[in-house]
Amino acid sequence: MDWSKTKTIFIITFLILDIFLGYQFIQKKNSSQLDVILEATIEEQLEADGITYVDLPKEITKATYVSGKSKTFTEEEVKNLPNQQVEAANETVLQAHFIKPVPLQDPKDGYRLTEFLRQNIIAGDQYTFWKYDEDLQALIYFQQYEGKTIYKNVSSMLLIYVNDRNEMVGYEQTLLVDLEKNEKKQEILPAIKALETLYKRNYLKPGDRVTKIDLGYYALVQFTTSQVLTPTWHVVVNGKTDYYVNAFEGQVISDENKVLE
C-alpha cells in the first residue's frame, strides 16, 4: 500500500468536507439573516403607514386543538341557586331570573362581578367579562379554558340582563365541559404574522393602532353538542374593532364564523 498516496487522499477528502460544511454553515446563516430581514420588512411597512401596536406575545410558540361538549344543566344542580327561579332545566341553555333584582353600579364595569359570578352562577369562575351590549341590555361574558378566552361561542357564553334601573334581572348561560387538549402540539403563527395577514388584507389601515392582541380559541363550527376549538389570535384595533386570525393556518375569521381567504 502506498501510504503517501493514501495520506494525500485523506487530506483532500477532509479538505473537501471542511469546504462543504463551511458552505452549509454560510447558507444557514444567510437564510437566518434573510428571515430577519423579511420580518423587519413587515415591521417597516407597518411603520411606514403609521400603524403602531402594543408589545406582541412571543412566549407562545406551540398550541393544540381543544375538544369539548355542551353541558346539560340538571334540575338537581340548579335547585339550590340563590335568589333565582330557573325557567329551563335539563337543557344545554340555562335560563333564570333573579327573584329580587340585583343592583349594579355601572353595567360597563362587568369585570367587577367576579365574586358575584362565583357565588351565584354555575362554574361562574370560568367566565370573563367581554362587554356590555346596550342593544341587548346585557352583560356578556365568555368562557375561558386554562386562562384563554373562547371567543363568541354560543355554547360557552353568559348573558346577564339589566333593566332600566341598572339592576340585574336574569340571565342565560351555556357552558362547554369535558374540555381536552389534542395530544399533538403544533407550531402557531407568531403574532406579527397575524398583523401581517390583517395588513395585507387591508383590515389594518394607515394610522391604525393595535391596542390588544391575545391568543384564545374559536370554533368554526358551532350549534353542535360537540365542538373543536382552534387556537386563534384576537386582535383589537383602535380599541373598538375585533379581528380573529386562525393561529394555525392564518385565515381571518369573520363574526359569522366564516373563514375569509
Side-chain angles (χ1 to χ4, degrees):
M1 178 179 291
D2 190 338
W3 288 107
S4 177
K5 185 179 293 185
T6 302
K7 182 178 179 182
T8 301
I9 292 173
F10 272 114
I11 292 174
I12 294 174
T13 300
F14 281 114
L15 180 60
I16 293 173
L17 179 61
D18 286 341
I19 293 173
F20 174 76
L21 292 176
Y23 174 77
Q24 289 287 88
F25 175 77
I26 293 173
Q27 285 289 94
K28 288 184 178 180
K29 184 176 180 181
N30 288 342
S31 177
S32 298
Q33 290 176 341
L34 179 59
D35 289 341
V36 172
I37 291 172
L38 290 175
E39 182 174 320
T41 299
I42 298 303
E43 294 171 349
E44 288 172 358
Q45 289 179 12
L46 295 176
E47 183 178 359
D49 273 341
I51 299 172
T52 58
Y53 46 88
V54 295
D55 291 338
L56 302 180
K58 296 180 180 177
E59 68 278 4
I60 306 173
T61 59
K62 291 185 177 183
T64 68
Y65 290 104
V66 173
S67 61
K69 65 180 182 180
S70 295
K71 175 180 175 59
T72 297
F73 298 93
T74 65
E75 291 184 2
E76 183 66 25
E77 64 185 337
V78 302
K79 67 181 183 180
N80 294 322
L81 290 172
N83 186 36
Q84 297 178 39
Q85 180 174 332
V86 176
E87 299 171 1
N90 295 320
E91 302 285 350
T92 56
V93 180
L94 176 61
Q95 297 176 324
H97 74 265
F98 298 118
I99 299 171
K100 182 180 179 181
V102 181
L104 182 65
Q105 287 186 349
D106 186 348
K108 295 180 180 179
D109 289 342
Y111 61 88
R112 296 181 182 273
L113 298 179
T114 302
E115 188 62 23
F116 174 83
L117 298 184
R118 191 184 67 80
Q119 294 181 0
N120 295 274
I121 304 295
I122 295 173
D125 58 349
Q126 293 188 33
Y127 294 92
T128 184
F129 181 61
W130 181 250
K131 70 175 183 178
Y132 175 70
D133 190 304
E134 294 184 357
D135 294 330
L136 294 176
Q137 282 190 271
L139 301 158
I140 299 178
Y141 293 82
F142 291 163
Q143 186 179 349
Q144 287 190 321
Y145 173 65
E146 293 190 350
K148 295 181 176 60
T149 301
I150 303 172
Y151 300 114
K152 296 193 172 184
N153 192 314
V154 295
S155 298
S156 58
M157 295 177 65
L158 172 66
L159 279 71
I160 302 179
Y161 295 102
V162 180
N163 63 20
D164 293 333
R165 297 187 295 275
N166 278 355
E167 296 173 326
M168 295 182 286
V169 294
Y171 66 91
E172 293 182 5
Q173 179 186 8
T174 55
L175 183 69
L176 288 174
V177 294
D178 297 337
L179 292 166
E180 293 183 355
K181 291 181 178 179
N182 188 298
E183 292 183 0
K184 184 180 178 181
K185 284 192 172 184
Q186 300 182 44
E187 296 283 344
I188 64 170
L189 297 174
I192 188 65
K193 292 296 183 182
L195 298 189
E196 178 184 354
T197 296
L198 294 175
Y199 177 72
K200 287 186 175 180
R201 287 165 175 74
N202 295 318
Y203 292 108
L204 284 179
K205 307 293 185 183
D208 278 347
R209 167 75 175 169
V210 175
T211 50
K212 185 178 182 181
I213 180 165
D214 289 312
L215 187 68
Y217 295 101
Y218 211 114
L220 295 181
V221 180
Q222 299 188 21
F223 303 102
T224 60
T225 55
S226 298
Q227 294 193 13
V228 176
L229 309 176
T230 303
T232 300
W233 287 111
H234 169 226
V235 182
V236 183
V237 179
N238 300 326
K240 59 182 181 180
T241 306
D242 300 291
Y243 295 103
Y244 304 90
V245 180
N246 187 315
F248 283 153
E249 300 177 5
Q251 303 102 325
V252 180
I253 306 170
S254 74
D255 281 343
E256 291 76 26
N257 304 330
K258 297 178 181 178
V259 173
L260 305 179
E261 298 298 335

